Amino acid sequence: MCNLKWRQRVPQMEYSPFDSTINKLAAIHGIADVNSFLKPSSTHINNPYLLWNANVGTDRIVQAVQENQKIVIVSDVDTDGVSATAIVYNYLKKHQANVSFIHAQRKDGHGLHTVIDKVPEDTDVLIVLDSSSNNWKECRELKSKGIDIIIIDHHQIETPNYYSVLINPQQEACQYPNKEISGAALAWQICRMLDDKMNRNFADELIDLAAIGLIADTMCMRTMENRAIVNLGLEMINNLGLKTIIRSQELAYKKLGTIDIGYKVVSLLNAAARMNKLELSLELLTTNDEERASEITKQIKKLNTERKSVQSEYIEHIVKKIDPSQKIIIYFDHNKEISKSFAGLIAGQIANTYMRPCLIMSPDESQGKTYAGSYRSFGDFDLKAFFESIPLVESTGGHAGAGGINVKNENLDQFVKMVEKRSKYLDFEDVIEYDLEFDADEINEQLIYEINEFYRISGRNFPIGKFLVKNIFVIDTKVKGKGEDTVEVVSENLSLMKFKTTRDFADKFPIFSVVDVVGTLGINEWFNFKEKKVIKTNQMILDDFRIR
């Protein structure tokens, strides 16, 4: 813990000590137009007609709606895919279209091959969302049965697919400027085109789901279109299921930001997927029944509690066996003790704990001759490109920071050696970068609100800021949580929180000592039903501390 280095971020622009906190932060991050960056508008949203094949695809959908043809949607098995499905399904239902959706489960993996046996024989149009750009063989099979296939996806394209209408900004011919858009946001853009062609105005009320998809898939939050969709979507929550989750998580009374949505909303939707109950998330975001929405939310919250318990067991099992000296940590789950639904989540937690990328690999039952791996990177390192540079990797999927690979069984040992050789000179410093420094006496609610406003829309390439706070006088320490895995350090005007830790951590803070700390600042707000009022506490989520 205390072996970490602390380093202040080098500002990209000059600023004065007399500037406001927001202007200082803008200069640090190289943001010239602060107002536009913090409050992006619809002017930053691109023209959907720039999407290659979008005209052809939307014309086919319009025809299917007008002729009451059977439309089947294929949902991907993550929250971006679920959000995309809810957008297109809810939109087409507004037109009384003959539409339904099918899906696999997270354990089955991503792609059309996981649901091809579920596609009804009498399907006229199959709309595949957030996956399958490269599944040309499955598309060929379905096309031979007379099914027209429209794929709306944002993942990298590795092979041509001539058997579908592919709408994907990663195509070389596509002039759509935002290559960092998510599947749900693309689906929303297609619905905007359908509005234009069918003289309707249904798409606008679905922007909240597009925002959820962008946040869930950790897309770039320096990209102005993404920021605009998230900003507008969080200001206009229309979906009944989202409203129900937000109320259940006591977020209804505050201005929503990406951190709130990520930890309190996306985590629940992800829990249903990881526990292989994707149908619950899909039903929640497509139902119009308030009572049913409440019941599903309760079920998903219960699943999330189970998910946390399962995740803790997996982590406890793995940390004893990994080699933290590896520059890229590789763990082989030879006996498939870890559910495939959890592999990426576990890899992410290990990557954050040890501050370096992590890959978890296990036998691939569908192939029989390969190991499938789920990876998570650390920082801005492009782990997908790294694995693609290794010839022993059969295939890759996903994004720079999160995805999967396949390696033949007989090549595993050589693969590990090649990873170790090529990562030898990579430098994943054990460094915490912080934006600004404050004295404990300077911390107040107004300052934290300014900081929260600046980082309200945060994510990949624009992470929430960390701050150094000096001279904090420790009054008390408390161990909390059912598993006693949360420690609160009490000071005069700031509550210091450390999650997923042990009771030993509390003992490291001598009572009545003075410490310097680094972490993220926030306001912990919750509704006290007994007193019938909102309680607010200045809070820091701790990354590290030093006793003065």
Side-chain angles (χ1 to χ4, degrees), residues 374-544:
S374 292
Y375 66 78
R376 293 295 183 270
S377 189
F378 180 74
D380 297 328
F381 181 67
D382 190 338
L383 192 54
K384 184 173 187 288
F386 176 86
F387 285 135
E388 286 175 339
S389 73
I390 297 177
L392 295 175
V393 174
E394 292 293 303
S395 63
T396 63
H399 307 288
I405 67 170
N406 280 83
V407 179
K408 286 184 177 179
N409 296 350
E410 62 266 27
N411 292 332
L412 288 177
D413 290 341
Q414 191 62 29
F415 166 74
V416 173
K417 291 177 181 177
M418 196 169 287
V419 169
E420 290 178 347
K421 181 179 179 180
R422 296 194 178 194
S423 64
K424 184 177 180 180
Y425 298 105
L426 293 176
D427 187 14
F428 299 107
E429 286 188 281
D430 295 341
V431 172
I432 297 176
E433 277 200 329
Y434 61 90
D435 290 343
L436 291 172
E437 174 185 318
F438 300 104
D439 191 86
D441 293 340
E442 298 178 81
I443 303 299
N444 55 53
E445 187 176 304
Q446 180 58 37
L447 173 67
I448 295 177
Y449 272 128
E450 287 182 30
I451 291 170
N452 285 353
E453 179 61 25
F454 185 80
Y455 291 106
R456 187 175 72 88
I457 303 173
S458 57
R460 187 162 58 81
N461 296 336
F462 188 65
I464 190 167
K466 299 181 187 296
F467 300 89
L468 167 60
V469 181
K470 292 186 170 183
N471 299 312
I472 290 180
F473 184 70
V474 177
I475 297 174
D476 194 10
T477 59
K478 301 177 181 178
V479 179
K480 298 183 173 182
K482 291 182 179 179
E484 295 190 340
D485 60 352
T486 299
V487 171
E488 178 185 11
V489 180
V490 182
S491 70
E492 186 174 349
N493 64 341
L494 190 62
S495 171
L496 310 175
M497 302 296 297
K498 184 66 176 178
F499 300 100
K500 296 179 181 177
T501 187
T502 63
R503 178 179 287 273
D504 292 341
F505 183 81
D507 298 334
K508 296 178 182 179
F509 283 86
I511 304 300
F512 307 134
S513 64
V514 178
V515 297
D516 296 341
V517 297
V518 174
T520 56
L521 288 165
I523 303 288
N524 182 26
E525 299 181 53
W526 55 283
F527 189 79
N528 187 315
F529 287 95
K530 186 175 181 180
E531 299 181 14
K532 295 182 179 180
K533 67 178 182 179
V534 174
I535 306 297
K536 300 179 182 180
T537 306
N538 297 337
Q539 188 178 81
M540 170 176 273
I541 308 301
L542 271 176
D543 283 314
D544 200 9

Side-chain angles (χ1 to χ4, degrees), residues 95 126 142 215 222 271 305 358 365 393 396 403 420 476 507 509 537 539 546:
H95 287 279
L126 189 72
L142 294 170
I215 296 167
R222 290 287 301 220
T305 300
C358 178
E365 290 180 353
V393 174
T396 63
E420 290 178 347
D476 194 10
D507 298 334
F509 283 86
T537 306
Q539 188 178 81
R546 291 173 184 166

Side-chain angles (χ1 to χ4, degrees), residues 328-386:
I328 295 176
I329 295 173
I330 302 177
Y331 175 78
F332 286 102
D333 181 25
H334 295 295
N335 298 320
K336 302 200 72 171
E337 296 174 291
I338 302 170
S339 167
K340 190 174 180 180
S341 306
F342 279 78
L345 186 65
I346 300 301
Q349 187 170 337
I350 291 172
N352 289 331
T353 300
Y354 293 95
M355 305 180 77
R356 61 199 63 201
C358 178
L359 170 68
I360 295 178
M361 304 197 75
S362 61
D364 187 353
E365 290 180 353
S366 64
Q367 297 289 330
K369 299 178 180 179
T370 66
Y371 265 56
S374 292
Y375 66 78
R376 293 295 183 270
S377 189
F378 180 74
D380 297 328
F381 181 67
D382 190 338
L383 192 54
K384 184 173 187 288
F386 176 86

Side-chain angles (χ1 to χ4, degrees), residues 45 159 205 253 291 306 447 504 544:
I45 296 176
T159 182
E205 65 184 55
Y253 54 83
E291 187 174 339
E306 294 176 21
L447 173 67
D504 292 341
D544 200 9

